[in-house]
Amino acid sequence: MKLKLFFASLIILVLFTNGYSQFKLQNLDKGKRDFVVSTPLERQAGAPQVFLGAGAGIAYFRTNSGLNVGLFAEVKTETFSFVPQANYWKVEDENNFEAAGLVRLRFKTTTIEPYVDGGIGLNFLNRKDSSKNSISETKVGLDLGGGLDFISIGTNYSIFIDAKYKIIIGDPNVTGYTLTGGIKFYM
């Protein structure tokens, strides 16, 4: 189930970016001969920007640490962004796949853009109980966090560091932290 959801999300992301690329190429063919690639800072101020990115880092849940990976898209406006994402973390005998939607408030600067964000997600948690039986649960979770986006690194990409506090609501709640670094590309 989780694998199917992951691949469905990945296919949707690929189709979206491919369609957007085709749209841009068709606009170039309609007579605009002097095409110059502009940086995200030079684009129209009012138009939303779309980024695709990936990150990896560490996860800390229930006093143990492990790995965290994720893919996301960011639809960026002047002051805030909407960030749908797919995350996976594994800590010892426990792992989780999350499909989440975040709202990100950005504080505009010239080279480093700090942000805070929060949102909800659907978590597919797998763990083993005390007798080593596998338990699979689907639960709602909350994500709260912030980070730094280094926007002056490249013309069509930026790098970021991100920290999140995650709460998977249940009895008892599963709480933990993730620290992620990664790259995002302008589409």
Side-chain angles (χ1 to χ4, degrees):
M1 174 65 180
K2 287 183 252 176
L3 194 57
K4 289 179 184 177
L5 184 62
F6 173 75
F7 283 121
S9 301
L10 189 61
I11 289 170
I12 290 171
L13 270 168
V14 168
L15 290 175
F16 175 77
T17 57
N18 187 28
Y20 186 75
S21 302
Q22 295 299 322
F23 171 76
K24 285 294 192 182
L25 285 175
Q26 287 174 357
N27 284 345
L28 289 176
D29 292 339
K30 290 183 180 175
K32 189 172 182 182
R33 297 183 190 263
D34 296 331
F35 177 70
V36 178
V37 175
S38 60
T39 65
L41 294 175
E42 297 170 348
R43 293 192 170 94
Q44 294 177 353
Q49 299 172 340
V50 177
F51 291 86
L52 290 179
I58 58 171
Y60 184 78
F61 286 85
R62 298 186 203 238
T63 68
N64 296 313
S65 61
L67 281 171
N68 172 45
V69 294
L71 298 171
F72 65 92
E74 181 176 358
V75 180
K76 196 176 195 182
T77 65
E78 194 65 31
T79 57
F80 73 95
S81 299
F82 175 66
V83 186
Q85 58 183 332
N87 299 311
Y88 176 81
W89 58 260
K90 180 169 179 49
V91 175
E92 292 191 351
D93 289 339
E94 195 169 33
N95 62 61
N96 182 55
F97 175 78
E98 173 189 44
L102 304 175
V103 174
R104 178 170 291 167
L105 298 175
R106 295 179 291 101
F107 305 100
K108 196 159 182 96
T109 62
T110 57
T111 59
I112 298 174
E113 201 171 75
Y115 60 85
V116 294
D117 54 13
I120 60 172
L122 186 60
N123 293 274
F124 302 96
L125 181 65
N126 292 313
R127 60 187 170 89
K128 293 190 178 178
D129 62 7
S130 58
S131 60
K132 299 293 182 187
N133 294 325
S134 182
I135 299 172
S136 296
E137 301 172 305
T138 303
K139 298 187 178 261
V140 173
L142 300 173
D143 293 352
L144 304 169
L148 296 172
D149 195 2
F150 299 94
I151 56 177
S152 65
I153 299 295
T155 57
N156 289 333
Y157 68 94
S158 67
I159 61 173
F160 66 90
I161 51 175
D162 184 81
K164 292 277 187 289
Y165 178 66
K166 296 183 178 275
I167 304 168
I168 300 173
I169 300 170
D171 188 26
N173 291 342
V174 177
T175 61
Y177 305 92
T178 60
L179 181 60
T180 307
I183 188 167
K184 64 182 183 178
F185 296 95
Y186 180 78
M187 300 317 285

